[in-house]
Amino acid sequence: MSQDSTTVPETVRKLSGRRRREIVAVLLFSGGPIFESSIPLSVFGIDRQDAGVPRYRLLVCAGEDVPLRTTGGLELTAPYGLEALSRAGTVVVPAWRSITQPPPPAALDALRRAHEEGARIVGLCTGAFVLAAAGLLDGRPATTHWMYAPTLAKRYPSVHVDPRELFVDDGDVLTSAGTAAGIDLCLHIVRTDHGADAAGALARRLVVPPRRSGGQERYLDRSLPEEIGADPLAEVVAWALEHLHEQFDVETLAARAYMSRRTFDRRFRSLTGSAPLQWLITQRVLQAQRLLETSDYSVDEVAGRCGFRSPVALRGHFRRQLGSSPAAYRAAYRARRPQGGPEGRPDRAERADRAERGERFPGTEPVEPRSGEASVVGMRRSPLAAAHAVTGAPLGGDRHLGHGGHTGHGVPVGHGIGHGPNVVEPGKPESDLYSPHLPGQRERPVG
């Protein structure tokens, strides 16, 4: 399902009498990264009424009775404790220090009580682990940083984790992916509370786009959670990664694991948070991405070397995962990292790729058609524009609340994209650029 800022989700409860909708409490813990912690403080704690942004009242609360040490050894002092959560209409958990440690029981109790009394609960990045530990994500769609999504899915199997989304709004419980996605979710909250004009004004003050498109797919890595290392499926996964150039399907992997397809799907998802078909196709796309960056193989050759049944399959799923055609991706990559000649002039392979898309290069003549081929007349595009077409969505135009959900089956191997969950380590990932989607953890086809 999707919703807009004018629709009140059915899951939103009425606030208890002592809570105020304009009060936002930010719950801090020792060991939390300062960047994520500062996001809700900046969005909700600064008076920007002169710019047309309605004012919130911020309460910064300590989630535990210990010194709040953060990035770089800084020590923070929160003016409020857990008791202040009882006044807030929104409670934000910007991060949790370690996905391997349980949060303090007193903080979990305070979050449950706030939710029962109608408060909106928000978890940014690893803050989703705190919400899950409190039981607030049971049976709900949620997201977190793609690197931690497999662990969240395994540790809390009742949570419908979607590692592709920038943020998930399930009405009274909201979660986001990593660093920059926390800004997107906070802007979404302002948009929900006060409309697009207020969110746009705030975005301008923060110098960020008010909405973004795309998802976490382009940042997924090929790694799997470290927990899988001791599992019998580890050998099958290793074999798959070593044979991506071959055409095989999930049935082949299930057979190698001596499991039925249904059992294999269930075991794989429980370990990684991803359907095996989607994981496999993501690895093929990632391998194609690497070959486009490091080789001069044609797009057709890249498709064959990555196990796709046809270049058409590669192009379709590469575009869905990375937001660009293979040829455009290679051109933009090389525009950022000149390889060919003096002053960053594109080499022959890049020229061929861009000619395929009908583009011209500054200082060159239009591409002449070969015998029997149609004439190609290209429009000039700067390296910046090419890179923007691949790695960043235009300002504005986000998919808003998404469609959520893990991707289903029904796509032949070599015809899809999917998730690439990553190794889980304590600590915080670098900043990231993601995009929103909404609840409805339903299977959806990729082809």
Side-chain angles (χ1 to χ4, degrees):
M1 63 178 278
S2 64
Q3 66 184 53
D4 58 37
S5 60
T6 62
T7 303
V8 178
E10 295 179 359
T11 50
V12 174
R13 296 182 175 91
K14 183 178 180 181
L15 280 176
S16 66
R18 58 181 175 175
R19 296 183 180 274
R20 295 293 178 267
R21 196 164 300 278
E22 70 277 6
I23 297 180
V24 176
V26 177
L27 189 58
L28 300 182
F29 297 96
S30 184
I34 195 168
F35 191 176
E36 283 71 10
S37 300
S38 68
I39 289 171
L41 304 184
S42 178
V43 171
F44 302 112
I46 298 177
D47 185 355
R48 297 187 177 92
Q49 295 181 87
D50 61 326
V53 182
R55 185 175 183 178
Y56 290 88
R57 182 179 176 190
L58 180 71
L59 304 178
V60 182
C61 307
E64 52 193 339
D65 294 328
V66 297
L68 302 180
R69 293 189 174 89
T70 184
T71 309
L74 297 177
E75 187 168 311
L76 307 178
T77 300
Y80 300 97
L82 289 173
E83 69 284 350
L85 266 62
S86 63
R87 299 153 54 190
T90 299
V91 179
V92 182
V93 183
W96 172 238
R97 59 174 166 262
S98 173
I99 61 174
T100 62
Q101 296 182 20
L108 299 181
D109 288 341
L111 286 172
R112 295 188 194 101
R113 187 160 52 253
H115 182 254
E116 290 170 358
E117 295 178 356
R120 176 173 51 189
I121 311 297
V122 181
L124 307 183
C125 194
T126 52
F129 283 81
V130 180
L131 273 58
L136 302 182
L137 297 181
D138 290 351
R140 292 177 178 266
T143 193
T144 187
H145 191 285
W146 59 264
M147 194 168 76
Y148 301 143
T151 299
L152 183 64
K154 181 179 180 181
R155 188 165 298 160
Y156 302 100
S158 61
V159 181
H160 304 307
V161 181
D162 193 335
R164 296 167 299 176
E165 311 303 352
L166 172 68
F167 64 77
V168 172
D169 180 343
D170 198 38
D172 55 350
V173 178
L174 302 87
T175 51
S176 80
T179 304
I183 300 175
D184 292 293
L185 179 50
C186 289
L187 284 173
H188 167 68
I189 291 172
V190 174
R191 187 182 303 115
T192 300
D193 290 348
H194 301 291
D197 288 345
L202 177 57
R204 287 191 294 274
R205 290 293 290 265
L206 297 176
V207 197
V208 297
R211 300 183 183 182
R212 291 186 295 153
S213 61
Q216 294 196 73
E217 294 100 326
R218 70 186 65 181
Y219 307 99
L220 298 178
D221 191 36
R222 65 184 291 162
S223 305
L224 286 169
E226 56 190 8
E227 291 96 329
I228 199 175
D231 192 274
L233 289 186
E235 183 178 349
V236 176
V237 167
W239 181 90
L241 292 174
E242 292 173 1
H243 293 80
L244 289 175
H245 59 284
E246 301 177 10
Q247 291 186 8
F248 60 87
D249 56 17
V250 179
E251 297 287 353
T252 302
L253 299 181
R256 292 188 67 87
Y258 302 100
M259 297 178 185
S260 68
R261 170 63 185 272
R262 184 174 182 177
T263 300
F264 182 79
D265 283 2
R266 184 173 63 251
R267 290 280 297 117
F268 194 95
R269 189 186 290 273
S270 69
L271 282 170
T272 70
S274 169
L277 176 62
Q278 293 308 108
W279 176 84
L280 175 61
I281 300 173
T282 289
Q283 309 318 310
R284 297 193 188 281
V285 172
L286 292 172
Q287 179 66 7
Q289 183 182 6
R290 285 186 284 271
L291 289 178
L292 290 167
E293 294 173 353
T294 60
S295 76
D296 288 329
Y297 294 131
S298 69
V299 173
D300 288 14
E301 289 174 313
V302 169
R305 289 174 179 270
C306 297
F308 286 97
R309 297 187 185 277
S310 71
V312 173
L314 168 60
R315 289 186 178 97
H317 297 302
F318 196 96
R319 182 178 294 278
R320 269 194 286 275
Q321 180 160 330
L322 296 176
S324 169
S325 71
Y329 179 85
R330 171 178 274 169
Y333 179 85
R334 292 183 176 179
R336 296 192 301 273
R337 295 169 176 79
Q339 298 178 4
E343 299 181 2
R345 287 178 60 84
D347 62 16
R348 179 183 299 178
E350 180 181 348
R351 290 172 181 273
D353 287 333
R354 294 182 68 174
E356 176 185 329
R357 295 180 306 149
E359 294 188 9
R360 292 171 55 189
F361 299 91
T364 65
E365 297 300 320
V367 178
E368 295 294 333
R370 299 176 184 174
S371 177
E373 293 182 347
S375 175
V376 178
V377 180
M379 295 183 64
R380 185 173 301 185
R381 177 183 290 187
S382 69
L384 178 60
H388 189 260
V390 175
T391 60
L395 295 182
D398 95 288
R399 295 181 301 188
H400 199 189
L401 317 168
H403 301 61
H406 287 103
T407 312
H409 310 302
V411 181
V413 169
H415 280 70
I417 58 171
H419 315 322
N422 201 339
V423 170
V424 176
E425 296 180 359
K428 190 69 195 64
E430 296 297 327
S431 63
D432 38 56
L433 305 173
Y434 311 135
S435 176
H437 246 208
L438 248 214
Q441 200 69 11
R442 298 182 291 274
E443 299 288 322
R444 66 184 181 191
V446 295

